[in-house]
């Protein structure tokens, strides 16, 4: 898929099930591979990013039978059962693969090299190199804190690490390394990042305690295998929720979507903007809260977004920017400097591309202000190699009379193959 053509279309109506959660898919393969025995993963996300994690563990000798895509069997070989990979591990575009793997690889008895695509090579790794080095890891970056990374595995010691960034990838890398230590490893963060690692490690029998922003884990001899069903990804559902809110006459039901409180910011933001969104059928699946989400067209108004709300919606800002471009008034997003180091610099990407559609945008170091108008013009826009920018711009196009083209959209396959096909089912 090289480009997506969108344009003004009729109302979106119907019921869809968004693809499986990306963050949970990565973790399911990792923890299953490290478990003592056979785990089953149902509803794994078949997208490039989690497939990089799956490929990495296969390279380290883990047998993974995915002949039935709905039910993957992972033959875990225990915390110390991985074998040295024969060659470099390519993490593709996936920051989660690279950062979490560093925590695992630091505790092995072999060396490994992690690399990635041109975009991943520009993403900062000092944030995990620093804490893992304090734990005794030997991680070499010839590019001053950027990939590729050479990890010489060895003995690790527990630490108490006060992270200056609220990041689930940093927290998870430390907790995974903590499994290989004798004693208790503690990590604190300035805000509550997504907690899928904590939930899943607890289910695997790890001795993990959570006290608000502080998480501790005891080193262990082993993890229990499990049978997990992965819920739908709220980050993927977000594109359809916003589409339903901004295209007049729309009404969409999204089934089986993860609504983990650390990820739910997008719902809070859109409701605050006046979006008619309701949840039903709330229940728990494999330790994660899940619901059906109903969204219908609404007149949106601007809002200010900062603090914890930024963290709880960290991956949704491309599509929040689109909602803001339609809403009445000026939406200000601040305290969001992390957006500059995502798959692209999302502050700059969204500002550049929305301006091509005639939207007034002001960029700050740590965010942006967007003046909603509802009078956007058709344009040819770029993805910046960023899946969520590509999909957000495609959704923006739905409200514009005339043809909008989003170029370089292959990146959509990192998280959401079949995005346009699913969108087309709603007409
Ligand atoms: C993720 C954590 C977040 C998020 C990313 C996935 C994860 O990154 O943006 O898409 O699965 O742990 P940070 O930890 O850098 O905030």
């Amino acid at each position: 898929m090289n480009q997506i053509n969108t344009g003004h279309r009729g109302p979106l109506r119907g019921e869809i099930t968004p693809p499986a959660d990306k963050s949970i898919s990565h973790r399911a393969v990792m923890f299953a591979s490290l478990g003592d025995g056979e785990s089953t993963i149902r509803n794994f996300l078949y997208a490039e990013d989690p497939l990089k994690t799956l490929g990495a563990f296969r390279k380290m000798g883990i047998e993974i039978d995915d002949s039935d895509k709905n039910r993957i069997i992972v033959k875990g070989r225990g915390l110390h059962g991985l074998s040295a990979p024969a060659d470099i591990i390519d993490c593709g575009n996936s920051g989660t693969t690279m950062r979490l793997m560093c925590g695992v690889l630091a505790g092995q008895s072999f060396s490994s090299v992690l690399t990635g695509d041109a975009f991943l090579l520009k993403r900062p790794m000092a944030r995990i190199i620093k804490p893992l080095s304090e734990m005794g890891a030997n991680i070499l970056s010839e590019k001053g804190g950027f990939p590729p990374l050479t990890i010489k595995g060895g003995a690790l010691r527990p630490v108490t690490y006060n992270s200056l960034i609220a990041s689930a990838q940093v927290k998870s890398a430390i907790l995974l390394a903590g499994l290989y230590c004798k004693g208790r490893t503690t990590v604190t963060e300035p805000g509550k990042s997504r907690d899928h690692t904590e939930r899943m490690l607890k289910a695997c029998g790890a001795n993990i305690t959570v006290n608000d922003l502080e998480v501790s884990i005891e080193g262990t001899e082993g993890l229990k295998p499990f049978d997990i069903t992965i819920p739908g990804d709220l980050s993927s559902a977000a594109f359809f929720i916003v589409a339903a809110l901004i295209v007049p006459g729309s009404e969409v039901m999204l089934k089986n979507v993860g609504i983990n409180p650390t990820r739910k910011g997008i719902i809070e933001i859109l409701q605050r903007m006046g979006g008619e969104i309701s949840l039903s059928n709330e229940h728990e699946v494999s330790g994660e809260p899940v619901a059906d989400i109903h969204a219908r067209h609404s007149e949106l108004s601007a809002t200010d977004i900062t603090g914890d709300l930024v963290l709880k919606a960290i991956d949704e800002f491309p599509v929040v920017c689109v909602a803001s471009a339609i809403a009445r008034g000026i939406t200000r997003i601040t305290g969001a400097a992390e957006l500059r180091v995502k798959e692209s610099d999302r502050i700059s990407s969204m500002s550049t591309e929305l301006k091509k559609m005639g939207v007034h945008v002001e960029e700050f170091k740590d965010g942006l202000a967007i003046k909603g108008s509802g009078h956007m013009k058709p344009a040819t826009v770029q993805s910046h190699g960023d899946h969520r920018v590509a999909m957000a711009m495609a959704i923006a196009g739905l409200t514009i009379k005339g043809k909008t083209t989003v170029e370089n959209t292959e990146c959509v396959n990192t998280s959401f193959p079949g995005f346009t096909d699913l969108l087309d089912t709603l007409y």
Side-chain angles (χ1 to χ4, degrees):
M1 192 193 340
N2 294 325
Q3 60 181 43
I4 300 176
N5 293 311
T6 52
H8 185 67
R9 286 200 262 180
L12 286 82
R13 286 179 167 272
E15 186 178 294
I16 52 173
T17 302
D21 191 280
K22 182 154 80 70
S23 290
I24 301 177
S25 292
H26 283 294
R27 287 160 173 81
V29 167
M30 284 184 193
F31 303 163
S33 299
L34 300 174
D36 294 318
E38 199 171 285
S39 287
T40 303
I41 306 174
R42 300 167 205 271
N43 197 34
F44 178 76
L45 174 65
Y46 269 83
E48 283 171 8
D49 273 17
L51 284 172
K52 288 293 178 196
T53 297
L54 191 147
F57 280 93
R58 274 193 174 140
K59 264 195 175 167
M60 292 187 289
I62 301 297
E63 205 183 305
I64 302 176
D65 177 359
D66 67 342
S67 45
D68 177 357
K69 300 268 182 282
N70 295 316
R71 190 172 163 272
I72 300 182
I73 308 292
V74 180
K75 297 203 171 124
R77 293 176 46 170
L79 283 170
H80 301 280
L82 301 176
S83 0
D87 52 22
I88 292 174
I89 294 175
D90 179 9
C91 303
N93 191 249
S94 176
T96 306
T97 307
M98 183 169 283
R99 295 196 178 118
L100 269 60
M101 291 281 295
C102 281
V104 174
L105 293 172
Q108 303 305 317
S109 55
F110 53 78
S111 293
S112 44
V113 179
L114 298 180
T115 191
D117 70 7
F119 300 96
L120 187 56
L121 294 184
K122 287 194 211 135
R123 298 188 67 187
M125 294 297 148
R127 56 183 59 198
I128 48 124
I129 296 176
K130 185 168 181 284
L132 293 176
S133 300
E134 281 184 23
M135 296 175 84
N138 189 341
I139 303 180
L140 193 86
S141 155
E142 282 177 12
K143 305 268 182 212
F146 293 87
L149 302 176
T150 302
I151 300 141
K152 292 189 183 141
L156 300 176
R157 53 180 174 269
V159 291
T160 293
Y161 189 76
N162 297 315
S163 176
L164 297 178
I165 329 165
S167 157
Q169 293 178 353
V170 171
K171 176 175 64 178
S172 302
I174 297 169
L175 294 174
L176 283 165
L179 289 172
Y180 290 89
C181 297
K182 268 206 178 73
R184 171 171 291 252
T185 296
T186 299
V187 52
T188 64
E189 49 181 355
K192 182 91 182 150
S193 65
R194 64 190 66 190
D195 67 354
H196 306 301
T197 296
E198 295 90 306
R199 285 171 188 255
M200 217 184 282
L201 281 177
K202 193 168 258 174
C204 294
N207 185 348
I208 186 162
T209 47
V210 180
N211 191 353
D212 194 19
L213 302 178
E214 182 184 287
V215 185
S216 297
I217 194 159
E218 290 289 337
T220 181
E221 286 304 308
L223 295 177
K224 284 192 298 199
F226 51 85
D227 184 329
I228 188 176
T229 301
I230 301 176
D233 198 327
L234 180 55
S235 296
S236 297
F239 298 104
F240 295 96
I241 298 173
V242 169
L245 296 181
I246 65 178
V247 176
S250 298
E251 187 161 353
V252 173
M253 176 65 109
L254 295 122
K255 303 285 285 181
N256 192 33
V257 187
I259 51 157
N260 181 309
T262 59
R263 300 277 301 277
K264 240 172 122 183
I266 181 67
I267 296 175
E268 279 177 60
I269 291 169
L270 293 171
Q271 283 178 334
R272 209 202 259 184
M273 293 174 87
E276 236 188 271
I277 302 172
S278 57
L279 305 188
S280 57
N281 187 23
E282 289 189 43
H283 61 291
E284 204 164 279
V285 176
S286 302
E288 290 279 348
V290 171
D292 297 336
I293 303 177
H294 180 263
R296 80 161 81 208
H297 173 251
S298 315
E299 295 299 330
L300 299 180
S301 338
T303 187
D304 285 343
I305 306 164
T306 193
D308 265 7
L309 204 45
V310 169
L311 195 51
K312 282 197 280 179
I314 192 67
D315 286 344
E316 281 61 80
F317 281 93
V319 83
V320 166
C321 290
V322 171
S324 309
I326 307 288
R328 204 173 332 107
I330 298 176
T331 294
R332 277 185 197 78
I333 300 162
T334 53
E338 272 293 300
L339 296 180
R340 296 224 178 255
V341 289
K342 291 295 174 189
E343 286 83 327
S344 71
D345 173 343
R346 287 182 172 159
I347 294 174
S348 161
S349 307
M350 288 310 295
S351 157
T352 306
E353 302 312 313
L354 284 175
K355 279 178 185 166
K356 291 180 187 166
M357 291 176 161
V359 181
H360 291 281
V361 186
E362 189 189 343
E363 256 192 61
F364 321 125
K365 251 194 185 149
D366 68 339
L368 62 179
I370 298 170
K371 186 172 177 207
S373 73
H375 298 295
M376 285 145 79
K377 58 178 195 216
T380 295
V381 296
Q382 297 299 322
S383 71
H384 298 252
D386 183 330
H387 55 139
R388 300 203 202 281
V389 171
M391 291 185 274
M393 294 312 293
I395 296 300
L398 298 177
T399 63
I400 304 174
K401 289 214 161 66
K403 183 174 140 190
T404 285
T405 301
V406 189
E407 292 189 330
N408 296 316
T409 53
E410 304 86 347
C411 50
V412 167
N413 290 327
T414 60
S415 69
F416 203 156
F419 166 71
T420 49
D421 293 342
L422 201 55
L423 185 61
D424 286 343
T425 65
L426 290 173
Y427 290 98

